[in-house]
Amino acid sequence: MISQNQIRLLLMLWFESNARVLPWRETKNPYFIWISEIMLQQTRVEAVIEYYSKFITRLPTIFDLANVEDDELYKLWQGLGYYSRAKNLKKAAGIVIEQFSGVMPNRKEELIKLPGIGPYTAGAIASIAFDERTPAIDGNVMRVISRLYGSTLDITTKVAKQEIEALVVDLLPTKEIGKFNQALMELGATVCIPNGKPKCRQCPLNEWCSASINQTTNEIPVKSKKKDRVIEPRTVLLTKVGSNWLIRKRPSKGLLANLWEFPNLIGKPSIMELKRFLLEHHIEVASIAKSEDAKHIFSHIEWHMETYLVEGRLLEDLDNGFLLTSEIELNDQYSVPAAFSHCLRIINNLK
């Protein structure tokens, strides 16, 4: 078997020649690294680049983040999904200002106490920004190490996670820790890939990889199957009153908390029920017509949406939480989650 020193050397040399050029790799600023790591959770690198640059331009310091209005923060985050990440960023920024005078903690054990920062993110920030000798184990690293050592443990289990962490800790060099951690992650993201056939011939460790040698890359890593998502039918009302559109703010807790949405109902109500719903909120329907269907997938639930275009008339003041807004404001000011992106497209395409 290849020695640990050889693994380190081969990985570092490979990373120097093959690492993707990414904006957050050009800095040691722990705030910028933190922002990028949170954005990269559940989101593709290609999608994050534009958001990251826009975010740090508008909120270049932790003080800016702590003081930004929620609606503007969510607007900056719009399209990335999992908005609780943005909420936790702001909350954590406030804690860093209060407890650390606005200076990011430089130890994993302190970072992991902040909202939204788990073991991986804490390890990534501590090692990349501060070169702390600590692992940063994400799904990519789990896959690389499982295949390299031929582990058949279910990577969703505590036992497997502990075993892989122990292996990575043993591999960590005495310096350039962040670079080594990034090399492992990069190998998993670009070569030892999760979906499809891994690019084993491009891997610097291929000659010693157990899964490659034994042709078990399709079976490793072992991962228990997730539960099927719940399918939830919804009916969305794109309601125009004069030149403005009806939106409402979602509850402060739960899915898509505090974001703006187009009014919608669970299930497939009749036209009469839809008219009654709007009338209860002080809008009389002049016309209603079926528009396009859409689907949005969350981690645990799938919305299957029927959409209706409505022309209405305001009878009296709107209920609290409801708002009429222009198309321009809808696009530029209000944070409408990706679940309703088809609604924005419909509105923007209307003549």
Side-chain angles (χ1 to χ4, degrees):
M1 181 63 180
I2 187 174
S3 72
Q4 291 175 336
N5 282 333
Q6 287 174 304
I7 291 174
R8 295 184 196 109
L9 178 61
L10 289 170
L11 266 176
M12 298 289 243
L13 290 173
W14 174 85
F15 185 68
E16 288 172 2
S17 301
N18 295 276
R20 290 168 293 180
V21 177
L22 301 172
W24 47 87
R25 286 183 177 160
E26 306 302 314
T27 180
K28 282 286 188 177
N29 184 323
Y31 171 69
F32 291 168
I33 292 168
W34 173 39
I35 298 301
S36 71
E37 288 295 342
I38 298 299
M39 285 186 169
L40 287 164
Q41 295 171 5
Q42 309 289 336
T43 310
R44 292 179 301 105
V45 167
E46 296 78 13
V48 165
I49 293 174
E50 181 181 348
Y51 285 94
Y52 168 82
S53 299
K54 184 178 178 182
F55 194 97
I56 64 171
T57 298
R58 171 59 189 88
L59 306 174
T61 73
I62 202 164
F63 297 94
D64 296 311
L65 173 58
N67 292 302
V68 69
E69 293 292 332
D70 287 349
D71 278 340
E72 184 177 1
L73 174 63
Y74 296 147
K75 189 65 182 178
L76 286 168
W77 204 265
Q78 183 174 313
L80 281 171
Y82 299 95
Y83 284 81
S84 60
R85 294 181 294 171
K87 182 178 180 181
N88 282 329
L89 274 172
K90 182 178 176 180
K91 186 177 180 181
I95 293 172
V96 171
I97 290 170
E98 182 181 340
Q99 297 184 9
F100 300 94
S101 302
V103 178
M104 285 286 290
N106 61 5
R107 304 292 295 176
K108 181 178 181 178
E109 63 185 20
E110 294 294 337
L111 288 162
I112 205 169
K113 296 175 185 176
L114 297 173
I117 295 184
Y120 159 71
T121 304
I125 298 169
S127 64
I128 297 169
F130 304 110
D131 213 37
E132 180 181 350
R133 194 174 185 274
T134 188
I137 301 173
D138 67 352
N140 291 316
V141 174
M142 297 279 283
R143 184 168 54 259
V144 168
I145 298 299
S146 293
R147 285 174 173 168
L148 180 62
Y149 290 95
S151 173
T152 55
L153 292 175
D154 184 338
I155 62 170
T156 64
T157 65
K158 186 176 180 180
V159 172
K161 291 175 182 177
Q162 289 174 337
E163 179 183 272
I164 289 170
E165 181 174 356
L167 290 168
V168 174
V169 168
D170 284 344
L171 284 173
L172 290 175
T174 55
K175 59 182 181 179
E176 295 190 296
I177 318 297
K179 183 178 176 182
F180 177 82
N181 281 337
Q182 289 182 88
L184 267 180
M185 289 185 277
E186 186 78 348
L187 188 68
T190 62
V191 175
C192 196
I193 55 178
N195 301 310
K197 190 176 180 181
K199 305 168 186 177
C200 294
R201 291 184 179 181
Q202 298 178 27
C203 177
L205 306 176
N206 181 48
E207 188 177 341
W208 302 276
C209 174
S210 176
S212 179
I213 292 167
N214 296 309
Q215 298 184 342
T216 55
T217 54
N218 288 335
E219 290 83 46
I220 297 176
V222 176
K223 189 175 183 180
S224 57
K225 187 180 178 183
K226 289 183 179 180
K227 292 181 180 179
D228 292 336
R229 295 188 190 92
V230 175
I231 305 297
E232 184 175 279
R234 284 194 170 251
T235 301
V236 184
L237 296 169
L238 289 185
T239 306
K240 192 174 187 182
V241 177
S243 61
N244 293 323
W245 294 92
L246 182 68
I247 57 175
R248 68 179 178 188
K249 200 162 197 176
R250 289 184 62 84
S252 59
K253 294 183 179 179
L255 186 66
L256 305 177
N258 285 322
L259 300 178
W260 292 91
E261 68 175 356
F262 297 97
N264 59 90
L265 299 89
I266 296 175
K268 297 183 179 182
S270 66
I271 296 296
M272 287 301 298
E273 288 171 318
L274 295 177
K275 289 181 177 180
R276 189 179 305 119
F277 167 79
L278 286 172
L279 194 58
E280 288 172 354
H281 296 290
H282 314 150
I283 291 178
E284 182 181 52
V285 173
S287 66
I288 183 168
K290 183 79 167 13
S291 187
E292 68 179 72
D293 295 339
K295 178 172 73 173
H296 188 78
I297 298 172
F298 299 96
S299 58
H300 63 291
I301 195 169
E302 239 177 77
W303 282 2
H304 289 196
M305 295 172 281
E306 288 188 349
T307 309
Y308 285 84
L309 268 172
V310 179
E311 292 277 352
R313 181 170 68 90
L314 187 63
L315 299 177
E316 54 184 285
D317 289 345
L318 289 169
D319 289 336
N320 188 38
F322 283 75
L323 182 72
L324 284 168
T325 183
S326 69
E327 181 180 340
I328 292 174
E329 290 174 334
L330 192 55
N331 284 296
D332 295 342
Q333 184 174 336
Y334 293 99
S335 49
V336 178
F340 300 98
S341 59
H342 73 289
C343 298
L344 293 173
R345 186 179 67 254
I346 291 169
I347 290 172
N348 292 333
N349 287 337
L350 286 175
K351 302 298 182 184

